[in-house]
Amino acid sequence: MFQKASFVISNSNPGNCPKPDRAEIAFIGRSNVGKSSLINMLVNQKGLAKTSQKPGKTQPINHFMVNDKWYLVDLPGYGFAKVNLKVKQGWESMITTYLTKRENICGVFVLIDSRLEPQQIDLEFLLWCGTQQVPTALVFTKADKQSKSKTDQNIQKFLNKTKEIFEEEPDYFVTSAEAGTGKEELTKFIEELITEYQAG
Ligand code: GTP
Ligand code: MG
């Protein structure tokens, strides 16, 4: 369980992130996919990571400390249509630098909206993570929004697409921040990643 979580720092310059002296888990995905909401569900604090109905809410790299033991990171979303090229390039350089240079990352969760058919932008991002050897797992969000069979159908389609990217099926979780779905499984997985990191 993640009983204790607090905000540490926000940065648009990855070089200013806290000292990489403990395990770090990051959440990324399309703008509005539910990253901040999922984080709040995991740490049992509604307002810790700022959420919004308007895409593009989370802007910089946000570090939170959990259980005094590891860093949880909320990242700004990609694929937000209403940004200009300069903003987009700024995002890309910030995120690629963070994901490739941050030495204490032990897991990056890529969030996928379970309501949608496979989206090219998600597949492209996953492909990039694969080529950079970023340790990714998938989280399908907003499962409360439709029937289980529809969710399963979309997930299966997405997993079929990832076969072109990964040799093995990626680890994946089905969640709803609204209903608390998937919380236990995801918590357990994160705890395992952290234990593994600490064992060294
Ligand atoms: P950015 O920071 O803009 O990239 O967005 P984000 O990915 O952090 O999304 P955020 O958590 O702010 O959620 C976006 C919207 O989706 C909000 O209105 C949330 O209430 C809603 N939402 C997030 N997760 C769920 C979910 O599991 N179920 C339902 N029904 N709504 C959700
Ligand atoms: Mg957010």
Side-chain angles (χ1 to χ4, degrees):
M1 274 292 287
F2 307 139
Q3 298 106 336
K4 205 172 135 191
S6 57
F7 173 76
V8 178
I9 195 166
S10 276
N11 278 300
S12 47
N13 177 357
N16 293 339
C17 289
K19 208 159 76 166
D21 57 359
R22 61 199 72 216
E24 185 156 315
I25 304 279
F27 294 81
I28 196 162
R30 268 179 353 124
S31 196
N32 210 238
V33 69
K35 299 172 293 293
S36 301
S37 302
L38 184 81
I39 289 168
N40 290 338
M41 171 184 95
L42 286 172
V43 302
N44 307 300
Q45 279 188 45
K46 265 218 148 46
L48 186 67
K50 298 285 170 285
T51 66
S52 168
Q53 288 176 355
K54 252 183 32 211
K57 176 67 184 174
T58 308
Q59 288 300 342
I61 300 170
N62 297 294
H63 274 76
F64 300 92
M65 172 83 83
V66 183
N67 288 1
D68 298 321
K69 211 167 80 181
W70 57 282
Y71 286 127
L72 184 161
V73 176
D74 189 14
L75 295 167
Y78 52 78
F80 180 31
K82 284 189 194 133
V83 299
N84 62 36
L85 191 61
K86 209 169 152 218
V87 173
K88 185 168 175 279
Q89 286 169 341
W91 182 92
E92 279 178 1
S93 109
M94 172 173 83
I95 295 299
T96 55
T97 305
Y98 168 76
L99 288 176
T100 54
K101 298 275 184 341
R102 187 77 175 154
E103 62 212 75
N104 56 333
I105 290 183
C106 49
V108 175
F109 290 99
V110 180
L111 276 60
I112 310 288
D113 191 328
S114 71
R115 294 174 299 177
L116 306 179
E117 301 268 316
Q119 302 285 302
Q120 199 57 34
I121 192 165
D122 292 325
L123 294 163
E124 273 167 20
F125 182 71
L126 278 173
L127 183 59
W128 179 84
C129 288
T131 61
Q132 302 297 318
Q133 290 166 337
V134 174
T136 52
L138 305 178
V139 175
F140 294 93
T141 62
K142 306 192 184 184
D144 60 286
K145 289 266 202 180
Q146 71 273 310
S147 68
K148 181 170 183 306
S149 63
K150 187 70 202 165
T151 301
D152 289 346
Q153 218 178 11
N154 285 339
I155 291 175
Q156 207 43 60
K157 280 187 192 162
F158 195 90
L159 292 176
N160 286 341
K161 289 279 184 191
T162 63
K163 283 190 187 133
E164 294 156 23
I165 300 173
F166 302 108
E167 276 171 30
E168 290 170 39
E169 186 170 275
D171 287 306
Y172 72 93
F173 301 87
V174 185
T175 65
S176 161
E178 204 69 25
T181 313
K183 184 175 178 175
E184 254 177 63
E185 292 86 346
L186 196 50
T187 300
K188 186 163 166 274
F189 187 76
I190 292 171
E191 278 170 344
E192 281 165 12
L193 290 177
I194 289 161
T195 307
E196 220 172 276
Y197 180 88
Q198 288 170 338

